[in-house]
Amino acid sequence: MAYLTTTGSGQPVLILKEGTSRSRGKEAQRNNIMAARVIGEVLKTTLGPRGMDKMLIDSLGDITITNDGAAILNEIDVEHPAAKMMVEIAKTQDDMVGDGTTTSVVLASELLKKAEELIDQGIHPTILVSGYRKAAQKAVETINKMAVPVDINDRKTLLKIALTSMSSKAVGGAREHLAEIAIDAVKQVMEQRGDKRIADIDNIQLVKKTGKSLLETQLIQGIIIDKEVVHSGMPKKKENAKIALLDCALEIEKTEISAEIRIRDPAQMKAFLDQETSMMKAMVDKIKAAGADVVFCQKGIDDMVQHFLAKESILAARRIKESDMEKLARATGGRIVSDLEDLSAKDLGQAGLVEERKIGEDKMIFVEKCKDPHSVAILLRAGLERMVDEAERAMTDSLSVISDVIENSRIVAGGGAIEVEVAKELRNYATKVGGREQLAIEAFAEAVEVIPKTLAENAGFEPIDIIVELRATHEKEDGKYKGINVFTGKLQDSFEAGVIEPAVVKEQAIKSAAESAAMILRIDDVIAASKPKEGPGGKTPPGGFEGEE
């Protein structure tokens, strides 16, 4: 419908285009809160070691089975704009710290639920937003106060952190094996920049292959190239390899403009063809002179060049991805050369072994046994394709938390312990703030407790009893690290039990959840334009407007 209003003289005025829908005031707020809460409800049952999985089937019929918050929201085709904001929280959380996506979405959903109750009691959304902001700031301060520094060489603690991040994933008995690999990989790519430690997990290559079992996942001190050796006459294995990394085509480039060469003499024809061959031979001689016995080329390699390389017993692969070339340079210590004329011995990378291996149906080139690689690869194996995907998600989470701890070496107690402590501090803080904001801060404190509540609920225990017990324990001086043991339903010291999480994961979850809840609460009017009608063949008509001829 078109949105109409009338002037004082009763003249109708068309404000919004026909087909535009509008909801405002309480109705708009309720719709937005409801849509965002539905997303929270979807993820709620996946939280914790005893959380359940979701089976997602996309429009093409591809199946994903996971309980990873970011993966679930990525697969769901969300329509409602407020729900899309919840998907964005998960994406931000995943991009920033790599873990805690479910926590942030469930927390945002609970904040909105509490806010709705207060709005019904007549509290203005602006006061709520202001209270939530103060509460989020106080919560982050509490996390910082409660965080414990960790030594990055303390492998035992790092292992506990990695295991905690994988506790909800369906990788079962292989958790410890994967956690050990994650620690080794992150430590290998870690670098010191001034007084800061940087561990960029983009330098860790994850290669998935079905077959064998999760326990046969391995760390490669080097890189795996998903290509095969270009020529059957080339060696399939080179030890103590000297590697040339080329960003130029090993072929004679065709001229930009069409040219015509007139040849009257057969000898001239032969000379012309021989010239092309000798130019290609010169390329191979240049590579040989530099001392290279392995060539990775980002562009094409001509058949004739392949023949000459095979004669010199040089192993070569072509059309390597740019990202893989960069990883090769970091792993082997080589330099990517854009002009063959510049290639010299000092540009070559080194690896203890370069070998083509057949894994399942595919042939791949392993560049391994590098001396001190700043880029490494993890070859993930499992019997099912779905399992390999889930192993990849588990591995990404554990790599992320290890890198978080290496870059920001502070940890907090898991199992709901930090949330209960934050809630306790917020309740004390609320009385100092006073006024109507006090109610918002108390609502924030209750919302934060949704994490231990949900952990208990998913484990099949009575959440109210556990929350009461947790609150009572946290009032005591020695109870601040007490969390839930989801397998027994009893309380335990999370640090002693090895349920540990990086402080930055919790901080980011609270910041993202508070921001998105504040943004949704401030909306009081939703004006949605009509969608353009689809033209023939499912296409929008030219110009993108309906009714255009």
Side-chain angles (χ1 to χ4, degrees):
M1 60 146 220
Y3 194 79
L4 287 164
T5 187
T6 51
T7 61
S9 59
Q11 186 73 28
V13 182
L14 181 69
I15 305 288
L16 300 174
K17 195 171 160 224
E18 191 166 346
T20 303
S21 64
R22 182 181 183 194
S23 63
R24 50 185 163 165
K26 283 262 170 73
E27 185 202 349
Q29 279 172 338
R30 275 185 208 291
N31 285 347
N32 286 339
I33 289 172
M34 180 52 71
R37 279 181 56 193
V38 166
I39 298 290
E41 293 298 324
V42 168
L43 292 195
K44 216 171 181 181
T45 56
T46 68
L47 190 72
R50 300 191 88 168
M52 304 299 276
D53 289 356
K54 306 283 177 194
M55 180 188 271
L56 309 161
I57 302 146
D58 68 11
S59 52
L60 299 172
D62 286 343
I63 301 167
T64 305
I65 298 170
T66 183
N67 64 5
D68 183 87
I72 292 168
L73 294 183
N74 216 6
E75 291 289 330
I76 297 175
D77 201 2
V78 176
E79 185 64 34
H80 196 286
K84 280 182 180 170
M85 286 166 71
M86 300 295 270
V87 176
E88 276 178 37
I89 306 176
K91 195 170 178 339
T92 306
Q93 183 78 13
D94 205 38
D95 292 346
M96 289 297 291
V97 288
D99 195 17
T101 45
T102 307
T103 303
S104 58
V105 174
V106 168
L107 181 53
S109 163
E110 193 67 14
L111 284 170
L112 289 168
K113 179 183 169 187
K114 298 290 176 202
E116 191 173 23
E117 291 166 12
L118 291 175
I119 288 170
D120 288 343
Q121 289 170 31
I123 292 177
H124 196 277
T126 313
I127 291 168
L128 274 177
V129 168
S130 168
Y132 274 7
R133 288 214 171 110
K134 285 181 179 169
Q137 209 172 339
K138 185 69 181 170
V140 170
E141 280 172 28
T142 306
I143 290 170
N144 277 322
K145 192 172 78 182
M146 292 291 296
V148 175
V150 62
D151 177 9
I152 63 156
N153 296 315
D154 178 358
R155 195 178 176 89
K156 251 186 179 168
T157 306
L158 291 182
L159 190 64
K160 287 174 184 171
I161 295 162
L163 287 171
T164 303
S165 79
M166 285 195 276
S167 61
S168 60
K169 299 284 182 287
V171 289
R175 282 218 308 270
E176 290 219 3
H177 177 62
L178 296 180
E180 294 277 5
I181 287 175
I183 294 168
D184 289 336
V186 176
K187 285 202 147 188
Q188 190 58 57
V189 300
M190 177 185 84
E191 52 186 280
Q192 197 82 23
R193 291 186 199 162
D195 56 352
K196 277 181 81 178
R197 278 189 301 267
I198 303 290
D200 184 356
I201 62 166
D202 286 346
N203 292 321
I204 300 167
Q205 182 193 31
L206 294 179
V207 179
K208 302 182 292 183
K209 281 288 163 210
T210 45
K212 298 200 173 178
S213 77
L214 273 170
L215 288 166
E216 281 160 288
T217 293
Q218 62 189 103
L219 175 67
I220 308 289
Q221 292 287 342
I223 294 296
I224 302 168
I225 302 296
D226 201 351
K227 298 280 177 191
E228 51 187 280
V229 173
V230 288
H231 193 283
S232 56
M234 288 179 179
K236 299 287 188 269
K237 181 177 177 181
K238 283 278 179 187
E239 290 185 1
N240 299 321
K242 301 271 188 294
I243 302 168
L245 304 172
L246 303 177
D247 180 18
C248 52
L250 294 180
E251 48 198 15
I252 305 293
E253 288 186 25
K254 304 287 178 278
T255 52
E256 293 274 330
I257 47 170
S258 52
E260 190 177 301
I261 301 170
R262 298 192 178 186
I263 294 173
R264 294 185 181 83
D265 182 357
Q268 281 179 319
M269 185 69 189
K270 188 176 185 318
F272 176 72
L273 295 171
D274 287 353
Q275 177 65 24
E276 197 171 59
T277 308
S278 63
M279 283 167 79
M280 292 187 191
K281 177 92 172 71
M283 287 179 182
V284 177
D285 291 343
K286 185 80 189 128
I287 292 167
K288 183 78 177 162
D293 51 11
V294 173
V295 174
F296 288 113
C297 185
Q298 204 174 317
K299 298 192 167 77
I301 301 178
D302 192 281
D303 292 356
M304 187 59 80
V305 177
Q306 291 177 25
H307 163 72
F308 287 129
L309 286 168
K311 273 181 80 174
E312 297 289 357
S313 88
I314 294 172
L315 184 155
R318 63 179 166 183
R319 310 218 181 279
I320 312 287
K321 285 191 300 195
E322 188 179 354
S323 57
D324 284 352
M325 288 294 279
E326 285 166 10
K327 288 190 179 81
L328 274 170
R330 287 181 65 84
T332 62
R335 234 181 47 192
I336 300 171
V337 176
S338 297
D339 186 351
L340 200 56
E341 293 302 313
D342 291 342
L343 185 67
S344 65
K346 64 175 189 295
D347 297 322
L348 302 181
Q350 293 183 331
L353 177 67
V354 176
E355 184 182 10
E356 181 188 86
R357 293 179 200 156
K358 191 168 183 189
I359 295 189
E361 291 293 299
D362 308 316
K363 288 178 180 171
M364 304 167 98
I365 299 171
F366 284 69
V367 181
E368 54 183 319
K369 297 185 184 168
C370 299
K371 207 173 185 180
D372 181 23
H374 293 299
S375 199
V376 292
I378 296 170
L379 180 62
L380 292 161
R381 306 302 303 269
L384 283 172
E385 196 179 327
R386 314 266 168 268
M387 199 65 203
V388 184
D389 291 341
E390 189 65 350
E392 181 189 26
R393 286 186 277 270
M395 183 57 83
T396 306
D397 278 3
S398 59
L399 290 170
S400 300
V401 292
I402 298 295
S403 108
D404 290 340
V405 170
I406 280 177
E407 289 182 5
N408 183 333
S409 47
R410 285 156 47 255
I411 50 173
V412 290
I418 188 71
E419 283 84 3
V420 176
E421 195 63 30
V422 165
K424 182 186 88 177
E425 290 289 325
L426 284 177
R427 287 194 183 94
N428 295 338
Y429 173 60
T431 51
K432 292 173 192 159
V433 174
R436 289 188 165 203
E437 280 186 357
Q438 175 178 343
L439 295 172
I441 295 167
E442 283 170 354
F444 198 105
E446 272 186 49
V448 170
E449 285 179 341
V450 73
I451 303 301
K453 250 185 212 163
T454 307
L455 285 173
E457 216 171 296
N458 289 350
F461 302 115
E462 191 51 61
I464 293 171
D465 296 349
I466 284 178
I467 284 293
V468 169
E469 198 182 340
L470 270 170
R471 282 183 189 169
T473 309
H474 275 258
E475 288 300 329
K476 298 173 192 158
E477 187 52 43
D478 61 343
K480 60 184 179 182
Y481 298 135
K482 286 278 196 286
I484 310 162
N485 181 332
V486 291
F487 300 102
T488 62
K490 303 276 186 288
L491 300 192
Q492 62 181 11
D493 185 309
S494 291
F495 275 122
E496 277 176 21
V499 183
I500 317 168
E501 297 183 65
V504 285
V505 170
K506 291 293 179 196
E507 278 178 30
Q508 185 61 44
I510 282 176
K511 285 176 189 170
S512 317
E515 275 177 22
S516 61
M519 190 163 268
I520 289 170
L521 288 173
R522 287 178 61 89
I523 298 166
D524 79 330
D525 208 334
V526 178
I527 301 166
S530 60
K531 288 188 177 172
K533 283 180 185 159
E534 290 193 339
K539 299 252 186 347
T540 303
F545 297 109
E546 54 179 305
E548 269 194 356
E549 292 301 325

